[in-house]
mmCIF file with all atom_site columns, all heavy atoms in Angstrom:
data_model
loop_
_atom_site.group_PDB
_atom_site.id
_atom_site.type_symbol
_atom_site.label_atom_id
_atom_site.label_alt_id
_atom_site.label_comp_id
_atom_site.label_asym_id
_atom_site.label_entity_id
_atom_site.label_seq_id
_atom_site.pdbx_PDB_ins_code
_atom_site.Cartn_x
_atom_site.Cartn_y
_atom_site.Cartn_z
_atom_site.occupancy
_atom_site.B_iso_or_equiv
_atom_site.pdbx_formal_charge
_atom_site.auth_seq_id
_atom_site.auth_comp_id
_atom_site.auth_asym_id
_atom_site.auth_atom_id
_atom_site.pdbx_PDB_model_num
ATOM   1   N  N   . VAL U 1 68  ? 6.308  -6.509 -0.860  1.00 0.00 ? 68  VAL U N   1
ATOM   2   C  CA  . VAL U 1 68  ? 5.925  -5.147 -0.932  1.00 0.00 ? 68  VAL U CA  1
ATOM   3   C  C   . VAL U 1 68  ? 7.147  -4.159 -0.663  1.00 0.00 ? 68  VAL U C   1
ATOM   4   O  O   . VAL U 1 68  ? 7.269  -3.296 -1.531  1.00 0.00 ? 68  VAL U O   1
ATOM   5   C  CB  . VAL U 1 68  ? 4.759  -4.888 0.172   1.00 0.00 ? 68  VAL U CB  1
ATOM   6   C  CG1 . VAL U 1 68  ? 4.494  -3.398 0.350   1.00 0.00 ? 68  VAL U CG1 1
ATOM   7   C  CG2 . VAL U 1 68  ? 3.554  -5.641 -0.199  1.00 0.00 ? 68  VAL U CG2 1
ATOM   8   N  N   . ARG U 1 94  ? 3.708  -8.672 -8.513  1.00 0.00 ? 94  ARG U N   1
ATOM   9   C  CA  . ARG U 1 94  ? 3.335  -7.477 -8.104  1.00 0.00 ? 94  ARG U CA  1
ATOM   10  C  C   . ARG U 1 94  ? 3.724  -6.229 -9.021  1.00 0.00 ? 94  ARG U C   1
ATOM   11  O  O   . ARG U 1 94  ? 3.688  -5.164 -8.647  1.00 0.00 ? 94  ARG U O   1
ATOM   12  C  CB  . ARG U 1 94  ? 3.868  -7.091 -6.683  1.00 0.00 ? 94  ARG U CB  1
ATOM   13  C  CG  . ARG U 1 94  ? 3.374  -5.765 -6.032  1.00 0.00 ? 94  ARG U CG  1
ATOM   14  C  CD  . ARG U 1 94  ? 3.660  -5.762 -4.608  1.00 0.00 ? 94  ARG U CD  1
ATOM   15  N  NE  . ARG U 1 94  ? 3.509  -4.530 -3.945  1.00 0.00 ? 94  ARG U NE  1
ATOM   16  C  CZ  . ARG U 1 94  ? 4.544  -3.667 -3.671  1.00 0.00 ? 94  ARG U CZ  1
ATOM   17  N  NH1 . ARG U 1 94  ? 5.752  -4.000 -4.170  1.00 0.00 ? 94  ARG U NH1 1
ATOM   18  N  NH2 . ARG U 1 94  ? 4.333  -2.568 -3.048  1.00 0.00 ? 94  ARG U NH2 1
ATOM   19  N  N   . HIS U 1 194 ? 5.333  -5.352 6.752   1.00 0.00 ? 194 HIS U N   1
ATOM   20  C  CA  . HIS U 1 194 ? 5.778  -3.962 6.460   1.00 0.00 ? 194 HIS U CA  1
ATOM   21  C  C   . HIS U 1 194 ? 6.714  -3.484 7.610   1.00 0.00 ? 194 HIS U C   1
ATOM   22  O  O   . HIS U 1 194 ? 7.792  -2.930 7.319   1.00 0.00 ? 194 HIS U O   1
ATOM   23  C  CB  . HIS U 1 194 ? 4.632  -3.050 6.235   1.00 0.00 ? 194 HIS U CB  1
ATOM   24  C  CG  . HIS U 1 194 ? 3.679  -3.378 5.186   1.00 0.00 ? 194 HIS U CG  1
ATOM   25  N  ND1 . HIS U 1 194 ? 2.337  -3.048 5.254   1.00 0.00 ? 194 HIS U ND1 1
ATOM   26  C  CD2 . HIS U 1 194 ? 3.798  -3.947 4.041   1.00 0.00 ? 194 HIS U CD2 1
ATOM   27  C  CE1 . HIS U 1 194 ? 1.677  -3.484 4.223   1.00 0.00 ? 194 HIS U CE1 1
ATOM   28  N  NE2 . HIS U 1 194 ? 2.528  -4.062 3.410   1.00 0.00 ? 194 HIS U NE2 1
ATOM   29  N  N   . TYR U 1 225 ? 5.669  2.259  -4.706  1.00 0.00 ? 225 TYR U N   1
ATOM   30  C  CA  . TYR U 1 225 ? 6.274  1.029  -5.087  1.00 0.00 ? 225 TYR U CA  1
ATOM   31  C  C   . TYR U 1 225 ? 6.281  0.871  -6.622  1.00 0.00 ? 225 TYR U C   1
ATOM   32  O  O   . TYR U 1 225 ? 6.613  -0.211 -7.061  1.00 0.00 ? 225 TYR U O   1
ATOM   33  C  CB  . TYR U 1 225 ? 5.557  -0.094 -4.309  1.00 0.00 ? 225 TYR U CB  1
ATOM   34  C  CG  . TYR U 1 225 ? 5.945  0.015  -2.829  1.00 0.00 ? 225 TYR U CG  1
ATOM   35  C  CD1 . TYR U 1 225 ? 4.685  0.686  -2.120  1.00 0.00 ? 225 TYR U CD1 1
ATOM   36  C  CD2 . TYR U 1 225 ? 7.033  -0.122 -2.204  1.00 0.00 ? 225 TYR U CD2 1
ATOM   37  C  CE1 . TYR U 1 225 ? 4.796  0.828  -0.738  1.00 0.00 ? 225 TYR U CE1 1
ATOM   38  C  CE2 . TYR U 1 225 ? 7.165  0.016  -0.816  1.00 0.00 ? 225 TYR U CE2 1
ATOM   39  C  CZ  . TYR U 1 225 ? 6.046  0.560  -0.073  1.00 0.00 ? 225 TYR U CZ  1
ATOM   40  O  OH  . TYR U 1 225 ? 6.186  0.896  1.276   1.00 0.00 ? 225 TYR U OH  1
ATOM   41  N  N   . ILE U 1 227 ? 4.091  0.632  -8.950  1.00 0.00 ? 227 ILE U N   1
ATOM   42  C  CA  . ILE U 1 227 ? 3.186  -0.400 -9.628  1.00 0.00 ? 227 ILE U CA  1
ATOM   43  C  C   . ILE U 1 227 ? 2.767  0.196  -10.941 1.00 0.00 ? 227 ILE U C   1
ATOM   44  O  O   . ILE U 1 227 ? 2.385  1.450  -11.031 1.00 0.00 ? 227 ILE U O   1
ATOM   45  C  CB  . ILE U 1 227 ? 1.918  -0.694 -8.709  1.00 0.00 ? 227 ILE U CB  1
ATOM   46  C  CG1 . ILE U 1 227 ? 2.311  -1.097 -7.310  1.00 0.00 ? 227 ILE U CG1 1
ATOM   47  C  CG2 . ILE U 1 227 ? 1.033  -1.790 -9.341  1.00 0.00 ? 227 ILE U CG2 1
ATOM   48  C  CD1 . ILE U 1 227 ? 3.174  -2.271 -7.143  1.00 0.00 ? 227 ILE U CD1 1
ATOM   49  N  N   . CYS U 1 271 ? 2.187  5.997  0.784   1.00 0.00 ? 271 CYS U N   1
ATOM   50  C  CA  . CYS U 1 271 ? 1.396  4.964  1.470   1.00 0.00 ? 271 CYS U CA  1
ATOM   51  C  C   . CYS U 1 271 ? 1.784  4.913  2.946   1.00 0.00 ? 271 CYS U C   1
ATOM   52  O  O   . CYS U 1 271 ? 2.842  4.365  3.293   1.00 0.00 ? 271 CYS U O   1
ATOM   53  C  CB  . CYS U 1 271 ? 1.670  3.509  0.780   1.00 0.00 ? 271 CYS U CB  1
ATOM   54  S  SG  . CYS U 1 271 ? 1.059  2.114  1.962   1.00 0.00 ? 271 CYS U SG  1
ATOM   55  N  N   . SER U 1 274 ? 2.313  1.292  4.921   1.00 0.00 ? 274 SER U N   1
ATOM   56  C  CA  . SER U 1 274 ? 3.368  0.348  4.692   1.00 0.00 ? 274 SER U CA  1
ATOM   57  C  C   . SER U 1 274 ? 4.709  0.889  5.283   1.00 0.00 ? 274 SER U C   1
ATOM   58  O  O   . SER U 1 274 ? 5.632  0.205  5.498   1.00 0.00 ? 274 SER U O   1
ATOM   59  C  CB  . SER U 1 274 ? 3.471  -0.120 3.327   1.00 0.00 ? 274 SER U CB  1
ATOM   60  O  OG  . SER U 1 274 ? 3.789  1.056  2.550   1.00 0.00 ? 274 SER U OG  1
ATOM   61  N  N   . GLY U 1 353 ? -6.009 -3.196 0.048   1.00 0.00 ? 353 GLY U N   1
ATOM   62  C  CA  . GLY U 1 353 ? -4.807 -2.986 0.954   1.00 0.00 ? 353 GLY U CA  1
ATOM   63  C  C   . GLY U 1 353 ? -4.961 -2.225 2.096   1.00 0.00 ? 353 GLY U C   1
ATOM   64  O  O   . GLY U 1 353 ? -5.786 -2.403 2.971   1.00 0.00 ? 353 GLY U O   1
ATOM   65  N  N   . GLY U 1 354 ? -3.995 -1.227 2.118   1.00 0.00 ? 354 GLY U N   1
ATOM   66  C  CA  . GLY U 1 354 ? -3.916 -0.361 3.312   1.00 0.00 ? 354 GLY U CA  1
ATOM   67  C  C   . GLY U 1 354 ? -3.848 1.154  2.990   1.00 0.00 ? 354 GLY U C   1
ATOM   68  O  O   . GLY U 1 354 ? -3.671 2.009  3.864   1.00 0.00 ? 354 GLY U O   1
ATOM   69  N  N   . SER U 1 355 ? -4.050 1.517  1.706   1.00 0.00 ? 355 SER U N   1
ATOM   70  C  CA  . SER U 1 355 ? -4.025 2.914  1.479   1.00 0.00 ? 355 SER U CA  1
ATOM   71  C  C   . SER U 1 355 ? -4.729 3.279  0.139   1.00 0.00 ? 355 SER U C   1
ATOM   72  O  O   . SER U 1 355 ? -5.268 4.318  0.067   1.00 0.00 ? 355 SER U O   1
ATOM   73  C  CB  . SER U 1 355 ? -2.534 3.487  1.339   1.00 0.00 ? 355 SER U CB  1
ATOM   74  O  OG  . SER U 1 355 ? -1.865 3.198  0.200   1.00 0.00 ? 355 SER U OG  1
ATOM   75  N  N   . ARG U 1 356 ? -4.766 2.397  -0.726  1.00 0.00 ? 356 ARG U N   1
ATOM   76  C  CA  . ARG U 1 356 ? -5.407 2.729  -2.028  1.00 0.00 ? 356 ARG U CA  1
ATOM   77  C  C   . ARG U 1 356 ? -6.986 2.857  -1.917  1.00 0.00 ? 356 ARG U C   1
ATOM   78  O  O   . ARG U 1 356 ? -7.541 3.602  -2.639  1.00 0.00 ? 356 ARG U O   1
ATOM   79  C  CB  . ARG U 1 356 ? -5.102 1.576  -3.096  1.00 0.00 ? 356 ARG U CB  1
ATOM   80  C  CG  . ARG U 1 356 ? -3.687 1.724  -3.405  1.00 0.00 ? 356 ARG U CG  1
ATOM   81  C  CD  . ARG U 1 356 ? -3.171 0.897  -4.497  1.00 0.00 ? 356 ARG U CD  1
ATOM   82  N  NE  . ARG U 1 356 ? -1.780 1.237  -4.791  1.00 0.00 ? 356 ARG U NE  1
ATOM   83  C  CZ  . ARG U 1 356 ? -1.039 0.771  -5.725  1.00 0.00 ? 356 ARG U CZ  1
ATOM   84  N  NH1 . ARG U 1 356 ? -1.567 -0.255 -6.516  1.00 0.00 ? 356 ARG U NH1 1
ATOM   85  N  NH2 . ARG U 1 356 ? 0.179  1.021  -5.865  1.00 0.00 ? 356 ARG U NH2 1
ATOM   86  N  N   . PHE U 1 378 ? -5.896 -4.595 5.539   1.00 0.00 ? 378 PHE U N   1
ATOM   87  C  CA  . PHE U 1 378 ? -4.969 -4.793 6.737   1.00 0.00 ? 378 PHE U CA  1
ATOM   88  C  C   . PHE U 1 378 ? -4.539 -3.565 7.373   1.00 0.00 ? 378 PHE U C   1
ATOM   89  O  O   . PHE U 1 378 ? -3.558 -3.620 8.092   1.00 0.00 ? 378 PHE U O   1
ATOM   90  C  CB  . PHE U 1 378 ? -3.808 -5.554 6.238   1.00 0.00 ? 378 PHE U CB  1
ATOM   91  C  CG  . PHE U 1 378 ? -3.075 -5.034 5.037   1.00 0.00 ? 378 PHE U CG  1
ATOM   92  C  CD1 . PHE U 1 378 ? -2.315 -3.892 5.213   1.00 0.00 ? 378 PHE U CD1 1
ATOM   93  C  CD2 . PHE U 1 378 ? -3.270 -5.572 3.790   1.00 0.00 ? 378 PHE U CD2 1
ATOM   94  C  CE1 . PHE U 1 378 ? -1.819 -3.313 4.076   1.00 0.00 ? 378 PHE U CE1 1
ATOM   95  C  CE2 . PHE U 1 378 ? -2.733 -5.010 2.644   1.00 0.00 ? 378 PHE U CE2 1
ATOM   96  C  CZ  . PHE U 1 378 ? -1.905 -3.861 2.743   1.00 0.00 ? 378 PHE U CZ  1
ATOM   97  N  N   . LEU U 1 490 ? -7.152 -2.773 -8.234  1.00 0.00 ? 490 LEU U N   1
ATOM   98  C  CA  . LEU U 1 490 ? -6.279 -1.638 -7.771  1.00 0.00 ? 490 LEU U CA  1
ATOM   99  C  C   . LEU U 1 490 ? -4.949 -2.031 -7.213  1.00 0.00 ? 490 LEU U C   1
ATOM   100 O  O   . LEU U 1 490 ? -4.205 -1.268 -6.760  1.00 0.00 ? 490 LEU U O   1
ATOM   101 C  CB  . LEU U 1 490 ? -7.030 -0.760 -6.766  1.00 0.00 ? 490 LEU U CB  1
ATOM   102 C  CG  . LEU U 1 490 ? -8.129 0.209  -7.329  1.00 0.00 ? 490 LEU U CG  1
ATOM   103 C  CD1 . LEU U 1 490 ? -8.641 1.087  -6.376  1.00 0.00 ? 490 LEU U CD1 1
ATOM   104 C  CD2 . LEU U 1 490 ? -7.639 0.869  -8.669  1.00 0.00 ? 490 LEU U CD2 1
ATOM   105 N  N   . HIS U 1 491 ? -4.686 -3.395 -7.247  1.00 0.00 ? 491 HIS U N   1
ATOM   106 C  CA  . HIS U 1 491 ? -3.370 -3.735 -6.985  1.00 0.00 ? 491 HIS U CA  1
ATOM   107 C  C   . HIS U 1 491 ? -2.468 -3.786 -8.105  1.00 0.00 ? 491 HIS U C   1
ATOM   108 O  O   . HIS U 1 491 ? -1.438 -3.125 -8.256  1.00 0.00 ? 491 HIS U O   1
ATOM   109 C  CB  . HIS U 1 491 ? -3.380 -5.187 -6.388  1.00 0.00 ? 491 HIS U CB  1
ATOM   110 C  CG  . HIS U 1 491 ? -4.171 -5.365 -5.042  1.00 0.00 ? 491 HIS U CG  1
ATOM   111 N  ND1 . HIS U 1 491 ? -3.629 -5.314 -3.832  1.00 0.00 ? 491 HIS U ND1 1
ATOM   112 C  CD2 . HIS U 1 491 ? -5.487 -5.502 -5.042  1.00 0.00 ? 491 HIS U CD2 1
ATOM   113 C  CE1 . HIS U 1 491 ? -4.603 -5.442 -2.910  1.00 0.00 ? 491 HIS U CE1 1
ATOM   114 N  NE2 . HIS U 1 491 ? -5.777 -5.583 -3.692  1.00 0.00 ? 491 HIS U NE2 1
HETATM 115 FE FE1 . CFM S 2 .   ? 0.700  0.550  0.544   1.00 0.00 ? 601 CFM S FE1 1
HETATM 116 FE FE2 . CFM S 2 .   ? 0.927  -0.557 -1.798  1.00 0.00 ? 601 CFM S FE2 1
HETATM 117 FE FE3 . CFM S 2 .   ? -1.345 -0.349 -0.508  1.00 0.00 ? 601 CFM S FE3 1
HETATM 118 FE FE4 . CFM S 2 .   ? 0.543  -1.985 0.397   1.00 0.00 ? 601 CFM S FE4 1
HETATM 119 FE FE5 . CFM S 2 .   ? -0.236 -4.172 -1.003  1.00 0.00 ? 601 CFM S FE5 1
HETATM 120 FE FE6 . CFM S 2 .   ? 0.126  -2.710 -3.237  1.00 0.00 ? 601 CFM S FE6 1
HETATM 121 FE FE7 . CFM S 2 .   ? -2.191 -2.526 -1.952  1.00 0.00 ? 601 CFM S FE7 1
HETATM 122 MO MO1 . CFM S 2 .   ? -1.555 -4.734 -3.104  1.00 0.00 ? 601 CFM S MO1 1
HETATM 123 S  S1  . CFM S 2 .   ? 2.145  -0.898 -0.079  1.00 0.00 ? 601 CFM S S1  1
HETATM 124 S  S2  . CFM S 2 .   ? -0.776 -0.745 1.461   1.00 0.00 ? 601 CFM S S2  1
HETATM 125 S  S3  . CFM S 2 .   ? 0.684  -4.083 0.910   1.00 0.00 ? 601 CFM S S3  1
HETATM 126 S  S4  . CFM S 2 .   ? -0.282 1.147  -1.374  1.00 0.00 ? 601 CFM S S4  1
HETATM 127 S  S5  . CFM S 2 .   ? 0.769  -4.689 -2.724  1.00 0.00 ? 601 CFM S S5  1
HETATM 128 S  S6  . CFM S 2 .   ? 1.591  -1.196 -3.718  1.00 0.00 ? 601 CFM S S6  1
HETATM 129 S  S7  . CFM S 2 .   ? -1.827 -2.571 -3.933  1.00 0.00 ? 601 CFM S S7  1
HETATM 130 S  S8  . CFM S 2 .   ? -2.315 -4.390 -1.047  1.00 0.00 ? 601 CFM S S8  1
HETATM 131 S  S9  . CFM S 2 .   ? -3.358 -0.810 -1.186  1.00 0.00 ? 601 CFM S S9  1
#
Side-chain angles (χ1 to χ4, degrees):
V68 173
R94 186 163 167 265
H194 300 149
Y225 302 98
I227 309 302
C271 169
S274 62
S355 81
R356 293 187 173 181
F378 50 74
L490 283 190
H491 302 262

